[in-house]
Amino acid sequence: MSKEPKKKKKWWIAVVVVIVLFLAMPTGESDTDAESRTVNEQATNTPEPTKEGKTTATPKPTKTDEATAPTKTPEPTATPKPTATPTPSATMGERNALKSANNYLSFTAFSYEGLIGQLEFEGYTNSEAVYAVENCGADWNEQALNSAKNYLDFSAFSYEGLIKQLEYEKFTSEQAKYGADNCGADWNEQAAKSAQNYLDFTSFSREGLIDQLEYEGFTHEQAVYGVEAVGY
C-alpha cells in the first residue's frame, strides 16, 4: 500500500497573519486625539481677526508741524492830501478865493503870507484871501521845501543864501530853515556851480571869486572848493 505524499505547510500564511496583527495594534493616539491636535494647530496658526469698523484716529498735527504762512507786511498808506472844503457859511467871494488858492498851490509853492498877497493881487478882499489861505489845507513847511527845490532847479544857492531867499518869499525863519535842511543840496557843488555862473559873464581873480562866493553865504571851505572845481 503506497503512502500518500505529505502536504507542505503553507508557512507564508503565518507570516501574513503576523503582519496583519502588527498593523492592527493601536499607535497610542486615537482618531479623536488627532482631530483635536489638528484643530489646536489651526487655532494657533490662524491670526487673530482685527476688530472691524474701528478707525484709528490720525494724530492732529502740532503747531510746529504746520507751515506758518508768512505775514504780509502792510503797505504804507499814503497820507491823503488835505482837501479844501468851504464852510457852509462861506460867501461867494470866499468860495472863489479858496478855489483860486488851490489852483495856485497845484502848480507852485507859496508861503502863507505870499499866497494871501497873490489872492489880493487877483482882486479878492483881505478877508476873502485870509479865509482861503486858512482853509486850503497847505503844510507850510512842505511849501517851503518845495520852494527851495524850485530855486535850486534854476540857480545855485548857499545854505544861508537859500534861507534868506525863502524868508524874502515870506516864509518864517523856521519854515525857511526846514526847506534848506531838507532839500538835499550838496553845498560844495552849489559853490562850484555859483563860481561857474560868475565866470560865465565876467572875470574874477582867484581871491576875488572866493570873496564873492563868501559874500553869497558860502563858507570859506565851500568857496575854495568851488573855485578849485572850476580850475582856479
Side-chain angles (χ1 to χ4, degrees):
M1 183 173 184
S2 65
K3 293 182 182 180
E4 296 179 359
K6 291 182 181 181
K7 296 180 180 180
K8 294 181 181 181
K9 291 183 180 180
K10 297 181 179 180
W11 57 270
W12 53 273
I13 296 176
V15 175
V16 172
V17 171
V18 172
I19 293 174
V20 171
L21 291 175
F22 178 79
L23 293 177
M25 290 177 64
T27 60
E29 181 180 60
S30 65
D31 294 340
T32 303
D33 293 336
E35 292 177 359
S36 299
R37 182 167 57 82
T38 303
V39 171
N40 290 335
E41 290 177 353
Q42 292 177 351
T44 302
N45 296 330
T46 304
E48 184 179 355
T50 57
K51 294 181 180 180
E52 297 180 1
K54 188 174 181 181
T55 304
T56 304
T58 302
K60 193 173 183 179
T62 61
K63 289 184 179 180
T64 56
D65 294 332
E66 297 176 352
T68 304
T71 304
K72 185 177 181 181
T73 305
E75 296 181 0
T77 304
T79 304
K81 195 173 182 179
T83 56
T85 304
T87 58
S89 59
T91 65
M92 177 67 72
E94 290 171 341
R95 290 174 181 270
N96 286 331
L98 182 55
K99 290 180 181 178
S100 293
N102 287 325
N103 289 338
Y104 280 121
L105 292 174
S106 66
F107 67 86
T108 192
F110 281 89
S111 66
Y112 178 92
E113 293 295 335
L115 187 54
I116 288 176
Q118 183 64 33
L119 292 173
E120 288 178 343
F121 180 79
E122 294 295 328
Y124 292 104
T125 66
N126 178 261
S127 61
E128 291 169 344
V130 169
Y131 171 88
V133 172
E134 290 185 349
N135 288 276
C136 67
D139 181 329
W140 303 113
N141 279 336
E142 290 302 314
Q143 289 297 309
L145 176 57
N146 291 338
S147 185
K149 290 179 178 179
N150 289 341
Y151 279 118
L152 292 173
D153 283 342
F154 67 86
S155 186
F157 283 87
S158 67
Y159 177 82
E160 293 297 333
L162 185 56
I163 288 176
K164 288 180 180 179
Q165 182 64 36
L166 293 173
E167 288 176 344
Y168 178 79
E169 296 295 331
K170 305 300 183 182
F171 288 102
T172 66
S173 295
E174 292 77 13
Q175 293 164 356
K177 188 174 184 301
Y178 177 89
D181 286 341
N182 292 278
C183 67
D186 182 330
W187 304 115
N188 281 334
E189 292 302 317
Q190 290 296 310
K193 289 179 181 179
S194 185
Q196 187 61 54
N197 289 341
Y198 280 117
L199 292 175
D200 284 343
F201 72 88
T202 190
S203 59
F204 281 88
S205 68
R206 185 178 190 278
E207 291 302 320
L209 188 54
I210 290 174
D211 289 342
Q212 182 63 36
L213 293 175
E214 288 177 346
Y215 178 79
E216 295 294 329
F218 291 102
T219 66
H220 180 72
E221 291 76 13
Q222 292 166 354
V224 170
Y225 177 92
V227 169
E228 290 178 350
V230 297
Y232 240 135

